[in-house]
Amino acid sequence: MARGLRDQSSDEGRGGAGVHSRQEFGWSVMGTGTIATEHMVAAIRAAGHQPLWVVSRNRQYAAHFSNDMEIPDIAVDARRALEDPCVGFAYVSAARERRKHYILAAANAGRHVLCDGPIARNCRIADQLAEACRKAGIILALNQPLRALSPHQTMRRLAQEGEIGVLQSVLIVRGAPFQPPPNRHAEETVDRKEALFDHTIDSIDLARFLTGQEPATVSALAACDQRAYAMRLSGGAIFQSYESFTTAEFESVVMLAGDRGTLIANGTLSGRGSGTLVRRLNGRSELIPVRDRDQHLTTVEAFLALPQKPATWMALGEDNVIALRAAEAVRTAQNRHPALIAGT
């Protein structure tokens, strides 16, 4: 038994009057990913809750994570953790192919789920998971840090209030050499194509969040490790995005352009801070002050409030289905043979 792990024979002592109150605060962490290590366990604790279990199909991984993060219990079988009456929530940080298993286990146990995105490899499986959670009467929400960033939330609010007039265009641009994310386990690698596809999913989700409009039609171009695409949105705006691993790193841009003005967020997609937000009206640019918040804590707090107070900015399972479906449409569009332009 790893140092610091609770002997399961002692669980009988956790019954009685304290169980109901503890169930409101206990979590099972499913998977031992980097996001959980660096951000989410701390965010759960900062929200006043306690991670009680670590679940991994690799017992050694679970034991090491438990020791590092000071979480008392480990399990290989997800049901063992989810049946604990002190556990009220599940956070899924497992590799993508394992997320389905953990989400369904949590749904069967009646535990609300917060999951790193995307929840599945394709929209068909994601839709099945969202439906399973709906039938079980539980919440399936996503940890989408881009939605929780203060500049993006402020952009959305200002656009909804008509600050820039009628929205005409959405632009999302980011580029940097491919850098595999840090990983606790050296044998786990990140595929470049999968990473670029994840960028597309995130960009589409962010565009939907900022505009409240849905993807309608798409066209796309692609070369090695980069893609550009455009979508007509349901409200009439045009969404354009460029994502690349072939360029030198440049400051990312998220722009909402209306018929009266423009909102521009710079550096918000790098993962190294909240960036800046500028409003341009009548030929003048103005820096908009935004409160710098921990987006992971913001996400956990909003997730916990969902049963009583719906947070319309949170990404739910259904949102991820739509983003996946649109990203798959981009991939299909880029694989079609481009038409030759006359005269070339």
Side-chain angles (χ1 to χ4, degrees):
M1 180 177 296
R3 180 184 174 189
L5 304 187
R6 179 186 291 121
D7 184 341
Q8 302 308 309
S9 64
S10 67
D11 285 355
E12 294 177 352
R14 294 191 289 173
V19 169
H20 178 72
S21 60
R22 287 195 64 185
Q23 186 176 12
E24 298 176 0
F25 305 105
W27 288 64
S28 174
V29 178
M30 326 286 278
T32 58
T34 303
I35 297 174
T37 308
E38 295 184 345
H39 303 291
M40 295 303 288
V41 169
I44 290 168
R45 287 178 171 140
H49 284 220
Q50 289 300 320
L52 300 178
W53 288 82
V54 179
V55 179
S56 174
R57 57 181 169 179
N58 186 309
R59 179 171 290 276
Q60 185 179 33
Y61 288 174
H64 289 165
F65 189 91
S66 172
N67 281 330
D68 292 346
M69 308 306 295
E70 298 182 339
I71 299 175
D73 292 332
I74 67 171
V76 174
D77 186 348
R79 292 172 299 181
R80 187 170 190 179
L82 294 167
E83 289 170 358
D84 183 343
C86 296
V87 169
F89 308 94
Y91 164 56
V92 179
S93 183
R96 191 170 322 186
E97 62 270 13
R98 294 288 292 170
R99 291 174 191 173
K100 175 182 177 180
H101 170 74
Y102 290 137
I103 290 170
L104 291 177
N108 290 334
R111 304 294 192 253
H112 297 308
V113 181
L114 178 62
C115 183
D116 292 339
I119 58 177
R121 288 191 176 276
N122 58 60
C123 68
R124 179 183 58 81
I125 296 175
D127 191 42
Q128 293 172 355
L129 295 175
E131 179 63 21
C133 291
R134 281 194 297 269
K135 288 182 177 178
I138 67 155
I139 293 168
L140 172 59
L142 273 80
N143 174 30
Q144 290 281 54
L146 297 184
R147 285 189 176 219
L149 280 172
S150 296
H152 295 161
Q153 294 206 355
T154 303
M155 289 179 82
R156 179 174 181 256
R157 175 178 59 81
L158 293 175
Q160 289 176 339
E161 292 174 352
E163 186 76 14
I164 59 174
V166 178
L167 183 66
Q168 304 294 315
S169 177
V170 186
L171 177 67
I172 296 178
V173 179
R174 57 173 148 179
F178 177 71
Q179 296 286 345
N183 203 300
R184 287 176 62 88
H185 314 303
E187 70 275 15
E188 294 183 3
T189 59
V190 176
D191 180 80
R192 296 165 72 100
K193 289 184 178 180
E194 187 174 90
L196 193 62
F197 186 63
D198 285 352
H199 279 350
T200 302
I201 297 170
D202 289 342
S203 295
I204 293 168
D205 181 77
L206 181 58
R208 292 184 63 245
F209 165 69
L210 292 172
T211 66
Q213 299 184 28
E214 300 296 345
T217 60
V218 60
S219 60
L221 296 172
C224 180
D225 284 347
Q226 60 179 328
R227 64 164 56 102
Y229 53 94
M231 293 184 179
R232 182 175 58 83
L233 301 181
S234 58
I238 299 297
F239 164 44
Q240 301 171 81
S241 185
Y242 173 72
E243 300 141 8
S244 175
F245 291 143
T246 65
T247 62
E249 184 172 357
F250 57 81
E251 193 172 66
S252 66
V253 176
V254 179
M255 184 176 74
L256 299 181
D259 59 6
R260 290 185 54 247
T262 303
L263 297 166
I264 306 168
N266 292 300
T268 56
L269 306 181
S270 67
R272 293 190 295 272
S274 59
T276 61
L277 178 60
V278 171
R279 172 174 48 205
R280 185 163 180 81
L281 291 172
N282 302 319
R284 298 180 58 187
S285 295
E286 174 191 7
L287 183 66
I288 299 177
V290 292
R291 182 162 62 98
D292 193 10
R293 299 181 298 177
D294 183 329
Q295 63 263 44
H296 301 92
L297 174 58
T298 299
T299 296
V300 171
E301 290 177 337
F303 168 71
L304 293 172
L306 281 176
Q308 293 81 32
K309 181 183 177 182
T312 56
W313 66 265
M314 280 286 290
L316 302 179
E318 294 81 358
D319 293 299
N320 203 222
V321 172
I322 294 170
L324 274 162
R325 183 178 295 121
E328 289 167 7
V330 169
R331 189 164 55 189
T332 299
Q334 75 182 34
N335 289 333
R336 293 173 181 163
H337 295 294
L340 293 176
I341 298 174
T344 61

